[in-house]
Amino acid sequence: MASETHVLDRPPEGANADWTIPQGWDAYSAQDHATWDTLYARQMKLLPGRASDAFLRGLDALKLSESGIPDFEELSDRLEALTGWRVVAVPGLVPDDVFFTHMANRRFVAGNFIRRPDQLDYLQEPDVFHDVFGHVPMLADPVFADYLAAYGRGGLRALELGSLKQLARLYWYTVEFGLVQEPEGLRIYGAGIVSSASETRFSLDDPSPNRIMLDLARVMRTDYRIDDFQQTYFVIPSFDELLRLTVETDFAPVYDAIREEREIAVDAVLPEDEVVTEGTQAYASSKA
Ligand code: HBI
Ligand code: FE
């Protein structure tokens, strides 16, 4: 959900040098908690049978079903006992090096604000519902938790190599908008999808988008949309495979190889793609 325009270049008033702030749980209004409960109830009507097993197990393990916006300290104590991750509050999008340093140290940065009741369906910046309901349950899964920590380390390296744009696409098409194959069929694990009622349906049920098996170099060349449904979703066979890919790949030569190649359009299907479903792109052309 990173929209570059909103990233400040220094910690705002009152924030620590690492951009963390107190969550301010006592300051949430009854309306804030009610907004969380409304969003939670709406997603839980949709997600059983659509979200990955790991996501649903994470919701239970972290007791996110309890009412109201979670207290990050209590949530982090449960999460840390499972996979060593903690959730830290930040005022909004943080700079890349800050983001990746926290991630490499198993600290997930989460906005402490929640959307207004009139923004239930969409907001540009990640709020506490996108960050905590969308991202945090997957961090209770040991394999995915290792993947995201490895991604954080990879992000710091990509910064040094000037290849962050390519690596950000891997994040986008996995952590934000990823699908995974399970015995009963495709399931959602991407935070941007599980936290959105409309995209939860669209990503699995709509004939419009492509669904293509993830190939690392292919994803890192593929553009993405930050302001509308994805026109292509990438599918992984398992989280074990995603972790293996990330840990076993030396990214530097991949960055060099794809730097010479053209970017791939959001709706493209290539001859070498392992296609699960080729989309009609009817949604995208209806919006054009
Ligand atoms: N990238 N640099 C940067 N900073 C962020 O805060 C950030 C990001 N990428 C994705 C992202 N935040 C969102 O996924 C949050 O939900 C974490
Ligand atoms: Fe996000």
Side-chain angles (χ1 to χ4, degrees), residues 60-116:
D60 287 343
L62 298 173
K63 298 189 185 340
L64 281 172
S65 50
E66 285 166 9
S67 167
I69 298 171
D71 176 302
F72 288 4
E73 281 308 301
E74 288 168 17
L75 174 63
S76 296
D77 290 346
R78 287 191 192 116
L79 180 62
E80 187 167 22
L82 294 170
T83 59
W85 277 82
R86 292 191 71 82
V87 180
V88 293
V90 290
L93 291 176
V94 300
D96 292 334
D97 58 325
V98 173
F99 183 65
F100 291 117
T101 303
H102 280 302
M103 195 169 273
N105 291 286
R106 296 192 181 233
R107 291 188 298 269
F108 191 81
V109 296
N112 67 334
F113 65 97
I114 193 158
R115 64 195 76 179
R116 294 190 312 272

Side-chain angles (χ1 to χ4, degrees), residues 33-209:
H33 289 299
T35 298
W36 172 280
D37 290 346
T38 303
L39 291 165
Y40 183 91
R42 189 170 72 173
Q43 285 311 99
M44 289 319 286
K45 281 200 194 75
L46 286 168
L47 291 176
R50 289 191 174 95
S52 73
D53 208 27
F55 179 86
L56 296 171
R57 278 202 310 273
L59 278 182
D60 287 343
L62 298 173
K63 298 189 185 340
L64 281 172
S65 50
E66 285 166 9
S67 167
I69 298 171
D71 176 302
F72 288 4
E73 281 308 301
E74 288 168 17
L75 174 63
S76 296
D77 290 346
R78 287 191 192 116
L79 180 62
E80 187 167 22
L82 294 170
T83 59
W85 277 82
R86 292 191 71 82
V87 180
V88 293
V90 290
L93 291 176
V94 300
D96 292 334
D97 58 325
V98 173
F99 183 65
F100 291 117
T101 303
H102 280 302
M103 195 169 273
N105 291 286
R106 296 192 181 233
R107 291 188 298 269
F108 191 81
V109 296
N112 67 334
F113 65 97
I114 193 158
R115 64 195 76 179
R116 294 190 312 272
D118 65 304
Q119 295 175 305
L120 282 193
D121 289 322
Y122 183 75
L123 83 164
Q124 180 76 23
E125 293 220 7
D127 70 341
V128 67
F129 188 76
H130 169 94
D131 282 333
V132 173
F133 179 86
H135 281 283
V136 172
M138 286 305 301
L139 293 177
D141 176 274
V143 176
F144 192 84
D146 286 352
Y147 166 67
L148 206 59
Y151 182 88
R153 293 193 297 277
L156 291 172
R157 182 132 182 271
L159 271 176
E160 287 161 21
L161 298 171
S163 304
L164 193 58
K165 193 163 183 254
Q166 287 82 0
L167 194 71
R169 289 167 173 159
L170 176 63
Y171 181 95
W172 193 265
Y173 282 116
T174 56
V175 183
E176 285 298 353
F177 291 95
L179 302 179
V180 62
Q181 247 163 6
E182 290 188 350
E184 307 79 15
L186 292 187
R187 292 292 182 267
I188 301 163
Y189 70 94
I193 310 178
V194 282
S195 57
S196 155
S198 48
E199 195 149 8
T200 292
R201 292 190 193 89
F202 179 82
S203 67
L204 287 184
D205 308 343
D206 199 292
S208 178

